[in-house]
Amino acid sequence: MSEPSPDVYERGRGMDAHNKVMREIRGLKEKHYDPHEPTRVWIDEDNTPSGVYQSLTIILNTGGCRWARAGGCTMCGYVAESVEGGTVEHEALMDQIQVCLDHEEENAEEKSPLIKIYTSGSFLDEREVPAETRKAIAETFSDRTRMVVESLPDFVDREKLDDFVSEDLETDVAVGLETATDRVRRDCVNKYFAFDDFIAASEEADAAGAGIKAYLLMKPPFLSESEAIEDMKSSVRRCAEYAHTVSMNPCNVQRYTMVDELHFRGGYRPPWLWSVAEVLRDTADADAIVVSDPVGHGSERGPHNCGECDDLVQKAIKDFDIRQDPSVFEQVDCDCKGTWRAVVEEETSYAMPLAK
Ligand code: SF4
Ligand SMILES: [Zn+2]
């Protein structure tokens, strides 16, 4: 696989105009974080190819995403959570893991069979997580069943994945593909890689005996509600050929992003929860586990309906995540569904949002 350099990331990839705007916006950030503390950690439940497991999700605080430093994706505010200076040492990263283990011991009755590690970047990028740390983390969790590590396709490499596979862990790489449509990924998300790179990464993971979990983003800026729905329906089906699990997540408005600027000026509305339900219902027959975890549901900056039915629809989505049964959506209804239908039919990308 190609070795990315900051120069390559900086020029000629993504849209220069998008990168320029994102750099200016990110320049406003003021927060700094302790390299000995993870960005976030929590316990949840996840549907995997080998069953539903209690999961420990860790967001490691690494130096942050290199692409984000060049400008980065239009919706991603994670760089604002990175440490100052750019890199975090092995010892500090292992301190973060210890904080997560302590959190698990305090908040769960048993050890989680599933460990998911995200870095707001690439866990497999050795400038973010050195090889020494990666191996130590694999050993730390060798008594668990499954492991998910997040990475951009460039860094997926069979030798790195072998650290986990050789510990007898069912290993998956979580790839933030966002959409299977190259034009939308480049022009709306400002992400630099192509669907073909994702396919190559899935082949590399397969050669290591690992699987792929694809993350999709519903409704990046500049797409109307109906375009966003169609983009997700086709993306879920195309991804299912290469990934055993697809996590389709609605865009939310994060601070210090282009999406935030657009939203502030009335030019962006996160997707309706009805749209999320519609994609899940339509793609229920795809050959993959398809889940969604709407963050900030029901709020103006998160995916939302009318305010009355948001919790109910969110509950149906979470039900679907575990049972994969599209009939859960027949049991929820609300008057606002008529408004949503009108938006889907009438909204155009040059005159939106049509409704709040
Ligand atoms: S979405 Fe991922 S690749 Fe894009 S800027 Fe954020 S962390 Fe980097
Ligand atoms: Zn409603």
Side-chain angles (χ1 to χ4, degrees):
M1 303 239 135
S2 59
E3 273 297 305
S5 71
D7 280 356
V8 175
Y9 275 68
E10 195 84 28
R11 271 178 271 118
R13 276 180 142 178
M15 290 173 69
D16 289 349
H18 277 2
N19 277 340
K20 184 168 179 294
V21 172
M22 284 301 296
R23 273 202 300 272
E24 281 165 16
I25 296 170
R26 290 192 202 286
L28 301 172
K29 70 157 183 154
E30 276 170 5
K31 291 186 187 169
H32 300 294
Y33 289 81
D34 182 351
H36 301 273
E37 290 283 332
T39 302
R40 269 190 289 283
V41 54
W42 70 91
I43 290 162
D44 207 344
E45 205 176 46
D46 272 70
N47 197 348
T48 77
S50 50
V52 176
Y53 291 134
Q54 175 184 301
S55 58
L56 177 67
T57 304
I58 297 168
I59 305 202
L60 270 189
N61 190 4
T62 64
C65 169
R66 241 183 284 173
W67 179 234
R69 265 180 251 156
C73 304
T74 53
M75 75 305 177
C76 175
Y78 285 152
V79 73
E81 295 173 345
S82 305
V83 284
E84 208 176 356
T87 52
V88 179
E89 304 294 326
H90 169 77
E91 282 71 24
L93 287 168
M94 294 314 288
D95 287 348
Q96 293 185 31
I97 294 291
Q98 192 54 50
V99 171
C100 297
L101 289 169
D102 294 346
H103 175 89
E104 183 184 44
E105 214 177 301
E106 279 160 29
N107 294 283
E109 284 174 11
E110 53 188 44
K111 286 185 172 183
S112 309
L114 172 63
I115 306 292
K116 302 193 292 179
I117 306 189
Y118 305 87
T119 70
S120 311
S122 289
F123 182 87
L124 299 177
D125 177 354
E126 292 185 347
R127 284 200 237 169
E128 272 189 62
V129 180
E132 178 193 13
T133 316
R134 186 178 66 237
K135 287 183 211 296
I137 290 176
E139 268 172 43
T140 304
F141 293 116
S142 60
D143 57 344
R144 313 298 174 112
T145 310
R146 296 193 75 99
M147 185 97 199
V148 178
V149 294
E150 177 187 31
S151 183
L152 287 164
D154 320 36
F155 307 105
V156 178
D157 169 308
R158 64 193 82 179
E159 279 85 40
K160 293 177 190 167
L161 289 173
D162 194 55
D163 290 346
F164 301 95
V165 176
S166 63
E167 295 284 357
D168 267 347
L169 286 159
E170 292 285 339
T171 308
D172 289 319
V173 187
V175 180
L177 175 68
E178 318 304 0
T179 165
T181 318
D182 284 341
R183 189 183 60 81
V184 173
R185 191 179 324 94
R186 191 191 59 219
D187 295 351
C188 303
V189 184
N190 195 38
K191 213 164 217 186
Y192 63 85
F193 63 84
F195 191 63
D196 281 349
D197 299 319
F198 169 74
I199 296 174
S202 79
E203 288 167 354
E204 191 68 16
D206 194 49
I212 293 280
K213 187 172 178 187
Y215 279 75
L216 297 178
L217 175 77
M218 173 174 226
K219 206 179 177 192
F222 316 119
L223 289 190
S224 67
E225 198 76 18
S226 62
E227 288 170 335
I229 293 170
E230 289 314 311
D231 176 48
M232 282 299 102
K233 284 182 180 174
S234 71
S235 294
V236 168
R237 291 185 193 287
R238 287 178 69 192
C239 275
E241 291 176 42
Y242 306 96
H244 59 62
T245 305
V246 181
S247 182
M248 193 264 301
N249 297 305
C251 187
N252 60 68
V253 182
Q254 299 178 6
R255 296 203 66 199
Y256 306 112
T257 63
M258 190 188 288
V259 167
D260 191 19
E261 298 252 307
L262 287 166
H263 177 256
F264 183 72
R265 290 173 169 76
Y268 179 78
R269 182 207 193 275
W272 289 69
L273 288 166
W274 292 127
S275 301
V276 179
E278 167 58 17
V279 174
L280 294 175
R281 189 198 59 73
D282 184 83
T283 59
D285 61 345
D287 187 18
I289 297 171
V290 184
V291 297
S292 183
D293 186 14
V295 171
H297 80 279
S299 73
E300 212 200 310
R301 296 171 74 87
H304 61 276
N305 286 349
C306 67
E308 295 290 315
C309 63
D310 298 71
D311 284 345
L312 270 179
V313 182
Q314 173 85 352
K315 194 164 169 291
I317 292 168
K318 298 297 268 182
D319 243 29
F320 179 86
D321 287 353
I322 300 295
R323 292 168 41 207
Q324 299 286 288
D325 177 359
S327 73
V328 295
F329 298 120
E330 288 163 19
Q331 288 148 32
V332 283
D333 204 358
C334 181
D335 288 348
C336 73
K337 210 164 182 182
T339 312
W340 168 72
R341 281 205 190 92
V343 167
V344 171
E345 275 165 32
E346 303 295 336
E347 188 177 77
T348 53
S349 49
Y350 52 83
M352 60 180 195
L354 206 54
K356 274 266 177 186

